[in-house]
Amino acid sequence: MKTSFSRISESSADDWKLIMNEQLTYVSKLPDRILTHLELLRGDYGGFPIDRLEHCLQTAKLAAEAGEDEEYIVCALLHDIGDTLGSANHADVSAAILQPFVSEANHWMIKHHAIFQGYNFFHLLGMDRNMRDQYKGSEHFDRTAKFIEMYDNPAFDNKAPKIPLASFEPMIRRVFCEPKNSMYKKAFGFE
């Protein structure tokens, strides 16, 4: 079933009732789409010693082993999910996907992780490795530096045991079950 208007300004409350019912079904399948999109990282090495999916899995595993909370672990898992569509701004894409569902601290960490990771290699590309220093005044600076040092940076180990994506599926489903930060919370019935 679908509506028949040709301009949103001509829509009715009944139209929006139908649209929102359809949207709720679509929104409920977001975890499935995220898992499918993560699979697109499999086999994409981009010159690295392991593929992008394995890197994300290793990052999440390291965070889990260190005792980080579930939301943080999911952020670690999805930190590079933006690589496929945002080659020039992957951190922004990853952060945009996560933003409605995670804390401001976790969102900030993922949004800025590429600049912080740059400390480890920007100088090899003729860039400023200290680019992250522009954020020294941020309350999330240390959190993001820790994310890079403890989880993102060491997660390129081609000798590490393989980790099944399915082991993180329940966490993804829980974190993405309800938006925390969305203007559509009320419309979706989460308020």
Side-chain angles (χ1 to χ4, degrees), residues 140-155:
H140 307 303
F141 184 94
D142 291 339
R143 176 187 190 80
T144 307
K146 175 187 170 190
F147 171 73
I148 297 304
E149 185 59 31
M150 292 185 64
Y151 312 129
D152 192 10
N153 185 37

Side-chain angles (χ1 to χ4, degrees), residues 45-169:
Y45 288 82
F48 290 99
I50 59 175
D51 69 28
R52 294 178 196 281
L53 176 59
E54 192 60 32
H55 167 65
C56 289
L57 291 165
Q58 285 185 20
T59 305
K61 181 176 185 264
L62 289 169
E65 289 173 346
E68 300 292 353
D69 66 40
E70 190 167 87
E71 181 182 293
Y72 189 107
I73 294 165
V74 169
C75 287
L77 179 65
L78 271 63
H79 79 283
D80 281 347
I81 196 170
D83 279 343
T84 57
L85 295 173
S87 301
N89 67 332
H90 82 278
D92 295 320
V93 174
S94 301
I97 293 166
L98 287 160
Q99 190 272 332
F101 300 94
V102 301
S103 69
E104 193 269 332
N106 282 334
H107 173 258
W108 197 98
M109 178 179 74
I110 298 307
K111 181 170 179 54
H112 295 88
H113 84 273
I115 291 170
F116 280 66
Q117 183 65 281
Y119 179 79
N120 294 307
F121 72 95
F122 279 178
H123 60 290
L124 303 173
L125 299 172
M127 296 171 64
D128 179 10
R129 78 182 303 190
N130 295 309
M131 196 181 297
R132 69 183 186 172
D133 289 351
Q134 67 186 303
Y135 298 108
K136 279 220 175 190
S138 170
E139 65 183 297
H140 307 303
F141 184 94
D142 291 339
R143 176 187 190 80
T144 307
K146 175 187 170 190
F147 171 73
I148 297 304
E149 185 59 31
M150 292 185 64
Y151 312 129
D152 192 10
N153 185 37
F156 292 92
D157 185 355
N158 65 0
K159 294 181 178 87
K162 299 288 184 215
I163 305 150
L165 177 56
S167 63
F168 293 103
E169 182 177 343

